[in-house]
């Protein structure tokens, strides 16, 4: 079961459908642990999402429930994706939203990779 505050995993969520090949994506990277693809509504010149192949609602769920090999493999895939995008030298930001206050829209754990320009404040005012 997912950890408290994350709800049950919905296999109909849009990222689960992308993983099953039911919906297309602009793929950047794929390995046994993760799939990375361009965000459909980019918030920076480079905005890529990285999702684990397993069914996890959020980081809270993933960190608690996923085997250690999958956790390590996932974060390795995040770093590989950023490297593949040419972001290591200019730098980049990794962000994950968890739950309502963070505005998590898709209930399949994902991290955002932002880059391609100076990114400014960590948390926008307001
Ligand atoms: P979050 O608010 O952290 O749950 O972010 C969800 C992200 O998924 C948003 O940035 C959306 O633009 C993005 N998104 C939603 N549907 C798709 C899709 N079909 N392909 C790519 N990105 C998507």
């Amino acid at each position: 079961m997912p950890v408290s505050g994350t709800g049950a995993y919905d296999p109909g969520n849009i990222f689960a459908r992308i993983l099953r090949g039911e919906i297309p994506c602009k793929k950047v990277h794929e390995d046994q642990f993760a799939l990375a693809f361009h965000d459909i509504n980019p918030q920076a010149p480079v905005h890529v999402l990285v999702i684990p192949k397993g069914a996890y609602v959020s980081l809270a769920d993933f960190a608690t429930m996923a085997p250690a090999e999958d956790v390590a493999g996932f974060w390795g895939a995040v770093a590989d994706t950023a490297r593949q995008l040419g972001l290591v030298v200019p730098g980049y930001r990794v962000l994950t939203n968890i739950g309502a206050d963070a505005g998590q829209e898709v209930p399949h754990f994902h991290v955002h990779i932002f880059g391609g320009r100076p990114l400014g404040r960590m948390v926008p005012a307001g």
Side-chain angles (χ1 to χ4, degrees):
M1 286 294 291
V3 297
S4 153
T6 58
Y9 184 82
D10 169 15
N13 79 74
I14 195 140
F15 293 169
R17 298 185 65 197
I18 286 173
L19 279 173
R20 291 197 296 268
E22 296 167 9
I23 293 177
C25 70
K26 273 181 69 182
K27 190 191 296 187
V28 176
H29 173 89
E30 183 169 17
D31 60 32
Q32 70 181 107
F33 300 107
L35 173 67
F37 52 94
H38 289 278
D39 196 290
I40 206 167
N41 182 23
Q43 304 296 308
V46 179
H47 184 176
V48 165
L49 302 170
V50 190
I51 68 177
K53 296 239 164 132
Y56 303 100
V57 174
S58 72
L59 175 62
D61 189 18
F62 184 66
T64 308
M65 305 302 291
E69 184 192 4
D70 291 9
V71 174
F74 174 78
W75 290 110
V78 173
D80 284 349
T81 300
R83 201 174 302 121
Q84 201 173 313
L85 290 164
L87 294 175
V88 173
V89 170
Y92 59 99
R93 180 169 294 155
V94 173
L95 177 149
T96 188
N97 292 315
I98 303 165
D101 271 8
Q104 183 180 359
E105 290 173 4
V106 180
H108 180 110
F109 171 46
H110 53 282
V111 304
H112 300 252
I113 296 176
F114 299 107
R117 65 165 168 77
L119 293 166
R121 295 164 62 94
M122 274 205 288
V123 180

